[in-house]
Amino acid sequence: NGIVSGRNEEDAPEVLSGVFEGKTLGTPIAVIVRNKDARSEDYKEIAFSPRAGHADDLWRSKFGHSDHRGGGRSSGRETVARVIGGAIAQMVLREAAPSLRVFAFASQIGTVKLDDAEVLEVEKRLVGREIAVDQFSSRFPHAVKNAEIEEMLLKAKAEGRSYGGEVQVFIANSPMGLGQPVFHKLKSDLAAAFMSVGATAGVELGDGREVMEAEGSEFHRQTDQRQYGGIRGGISTGEPILLRVFFKPTATVLDVAKKGRHDPCIVIRAIPVLESMAWMVMADHLLWSRQDRI
């Protein structure tokens, strides 16, 4: 895929412990993924000159020491652990809540975006298995606009420029009643999970910032309830859970980006990470809800 980083990692997981003959043992599951296409020499300059927009200087200031060879734990490569955790959570939920499904897709990259009607159509087609997000190179599920984004990002990559964007996270068939009333509201745990992913700049639930201009008697009598995003009082309503996550442009730009192997837009790679975080939060809350009934 020419619109993302040129790194070529196999992402092949090795399960070290916690699983035997295809089943978990109840002990910690340890998995390792080996980087084989690393180029530590590409990062030698940042040992003395922190990169703008990255955490190089803050990491060193906080801990007094840092590994400059790619950013360490502040690098996007740490997200492979999240995806592994999400895959395990998804297997748990296939048994505990088999109809629950998590989708994430790009709804805006740079200035190219889906309108509200197009977002609704994508949700419908995803649930109906008519399309898959990964069949689109930018994970932007609109054939014409996906082609526009490809052209824009190829040009950005050549020029060392970058773009941010918006991701829609859509959780279908969620059980009603997930979420704790005060300190573990479902919305706050989902928001915290998404905001923990690198380059995120904000999260909205339901109508998000649009509610500021709404008038209450009109807002609360809408019939489809999408304005609440499937969560009221911090507890799932059983309706689709709808969130939007916003990403800043990739921090490595211009000559540094042209010399290295960097993504002109982080949104594309972030989408499976957000799905994984959602699977883990939903698994946690489903297991807590079972304990509540004991």
Side-chain angles (χ1 to χ4, degrees), residues 92-232:
V92 171
L93 288 172
R94 279 180 186 159
E95 299 295 325
S99 62
L100 189 148
R101 299 180 69 195
V102 175
F103 305 99
F105 58 92
S107 53
Q108 181 168 350
I109 291 178
T111 58
V112 183
K113 60 184 177 179
L114 298 174
D115 61 32
D116 291 344
E118 289 169 332
V119 168
L120 286 170
E121 180 64 18
V122 168
E123 290 175 4
K124 178 182 174 183
R125 296 182 72 193
L126 285 171
V127 171
R129 301 180 190 273
E130 297 173 35
I131 59 170
V133 173
D134 284 349
Q135 77 187 63
F136 301 90
S137 60
S138 63
R139 294 189 167 117
F140 192 104
H142 187 290
V144 174
K145 293 180 180 180
N146 180 71
E148 289 179 35
I149 290 168
E150 273 194 355
E151 183 178 351
M152 178 179 70
L153 294 184
L154 285 170
K155 186 172 185 288
K157 196 172 179 182
E159 295 176 352
R161 301 188 183 277
S162 67
Y163 293 95
E166 174 186 277
V167 175
Q168 302 273 340
V169 180
F170 173 65
I171 303 174
N173 305 319
S174 166
M176 180 186 291
L178 300 185
Q180 306 299 319
V182 181
F183 296 113
H184 275 292
K185 293 182 178 182
L186 183 58
K187 65 178 181 180
S188 62
D189 282 0
L190 284 167
F194 297 153
M195 286 296 289
S196 74
V197 177
T200 51
V203 178
E204 288 187 346
L205 172 68
D207 280 357
R209 63 188 181 278
E210 295 173 13
V211 304
M212 294 184 296
E213 300 176 4
E215 190 282 314
S217 63
E218 293 292 330
F219 179 80
H220 293 293
R221 74 180 183 187
Q222 295 179 40
T223 55
D224 66 4
Q225 304 287 294
R226 283 181 66 89
Q227 73 271 31
Y228 301 123
I231 299 172
R232 281 186 281 116

Side-chain angles (χ1 to χ4, degrees), residues 23-36:
K23 296 181 180 179
T24 57
L25 295 168
T27 53
I29 299 172
V31 184
I32 187 171
V33 177
R34 301 180 188 276
N35 282 341
K36 297 181 179 179

Side-chain angles (χ1 to χ4, degrees), residues 2 11 50 59 64 86 111 189 250 268 292:
D11 289 342
W59 194 271
T111 58
D189 282 0
T250 313
I268 302 166
D292 291 343

